[in-house]
Amino acid sequence: MSTPNRRAPRAAGRPLVLGHRGASADAPENTLAAFRLALAQGADGVELDVWRCRTGEVVVVHDEDTGRVAGPRFRVDATPLPELRALDVGAWKGERFRGERIPTLPEVLEALPGAVVNVELKSRGRDLRLAEAVARDVRRAGAEGRVIASSFDYRLVAAFRLAAPEVPVGLLFEPGHRWRLRTALAARLLGAAAVHPDASLVTPARAEAWRARGLAVNAWTVDAPEEVARLTGLGAAALISNLPGRTRAQVRALTGR
């Protein structure tokens, strides 16, 4: 499993800009409206979250239940797709988004041809079949060259590596006393193509060390102009932003690309 992964998606001379759950500052997160708006604003692609619902489909939603974005509270992994699809997950963000539905991963890949898609694997417990389902959907869409799969749960990353060794993986982590050893070991064992740190963890020394090991540095969540400038200067491969339009404009001003 330690065979090096396919190289993570990159742009020449600048970081990629990925809309965090789409253009989530302006549109309801993890919806087709948010993803399309991110691309319209100039993003290179999007970051999204996936679960496997009760009937086995891969659905795009962040939380383990639907209460925050829909009102009615259904646990995603215990609810069949038709019941999830009946929920309105757009109205909370504004009347013009009323009627937005929870999309499936195949629908997103079809709606965003050519866009980079960072798929974050999420599971309540250890649903390793999620990794297999995502691998299947990515292959059917012919999207192997533009997808990167990531997770905080490195068991899911390992399962995805086995299911789709041709698709790059990234390791998500945030501040905590155990991330250094855990992530370094996992990166070696899993042949990770990227690290996905909380932006506050990206220091000059760490950025240099990660790049020296051939790892792309994909930082989240990068909205503040000073952070965009700092991380661009440190050679980040991707900036995951709630404000992809503004972030992309700043990257263009900083790099000329």
Side-chain angles (χ1 to χ4, degrees), residues 6-19 43-46 116-118 148 168-170 192-197 199 202-203 206-208 210-212 214-220 222 227-241 247-248 251 255 257:
R6 175 182 282 192
R7 193 169 184 258
R10 298 178 190 248
R14 65 168 178 88
L16 292 167
V17 174
L18 304 181
D44 300 287
V46 300
V116 175
V117 180
N118 176 184
I148 181 167
V169 297
V195 287
H196 291 215
V202 185
T203 64
R206 288 172 185 159
E208 182 178 358
W210 287 327
R211 290 198 311 273
L215 295 166
V217 180
N218 300 334
W220 57 275
V222 186
E227 281 291 88
V228 174
R230 183 179 75 85
L231 291 161
T232 299
L234 290 177
L239 307 178
I240 299 171
S241 176
T247 298
R248 179 68 185 94
V251 167
T255 67
R257 300 187 180 199

Side-chain angles (χ1 to χ4, degrees), residues 2-236:
S2 60
T3 303
N5 225 348
R6 175 182 282 192
R7 193 169 184 258
R10 298 178 190 248
R14 65 168 178 88
L16 292 167
V17 174
L18 304 181
H20 182 235
R21 309 179 202 170
S24 56
D26 300 316
E29 64 178 59
N30 278 328
T31 63
L32 291 177
F35 300 141
R36 287 173 172 140
L37 181 58
L39 297 193
Q41 291 178 349
D44 300 287
V46 300
E47 180 271 354
L48 53 80
D49 310 273
V50 297
W51 297 75
R52 199 169 64 94
C53 67
R54 180 179 166 185
T55 43
E57 294 88 354
V58 179
V59 293
V60 180
V61 61
H62 180 270
D63 300 348
E64 69 176 45
D65 68 62
T66 60
R68 182 173 60 85
V69 295
R73 189 174 297 276
F74 295 97
R75 211 178 82 191
V76 175
D77 64 355
T79 306
L81 182 62
E83 291 184 28
L84 291 174
R85 297 283 253 182
L87 299 172
D88 186 328
V89 294
W92 70 275
K93 196 70 173 179
E95 188 62 30
R96 69 191 181 101
F97 296 113
R98 183 173 295 280
E100 283 294 320
R101 306 298 173 185
I102 293 174
T104 63
L105 180 59
E107 287 172 338
V108 174
L109 294 174
E110 181 180 359
L112 309 180
V116 175
V117 180
N118 176 184
V119 179
E120 180 182 340
L121 310 173
K122 301 179 82 76
S123 171
R124 190 175 185 268
R126 187 173 65 174
D127 180 13
L128 299 185
R129 292 177 67 187
L130 170 67
E132 298 168 3
V134 171
R136 176 200 65 214
D137 288 348
V138 170
R139 285 201 186 100
R140 286 179 178 173
E144 296 94 330
R146 60 188 180 93
V147 165
I148 181 167
S150 64
S151 187
F152 285 102
D153 186 340
Y154 295 173
R155 297 168 300 180
L156 284 175
V157 176
F160 186 83
R161 278 288 276 140
L162 288 172
E166 74 279 15
V167 179
V169 297
L171 304 178
L172 270 160
F173 53 97
E174 56 193 343
H177 68 284
R178 297 183 63 184
W179 72 263
R180 294 173 179 82
L181 177 61
R182 179 173 177 264
T183 302
L185 179 61
R188 288 196 297 272
L189 291 177
L190 298 177
V195 287
H196 291 215
D198 179 289
S200 67
L201 297 176
V202 185
T203 64
R206 288 172 185 159
E208 182 178 358
W210 287 327
R211 290 198 311 273
R213 291 166 56 192
L215 295 166
V217 180
N218 300 334
W220 57 275
T221 303
V222 186
D223 293 339
E226 59 270 22
E227 281 291 88
V228 174
R230 183 179 75 85
L231 291 161
T232 299
L234 290 177

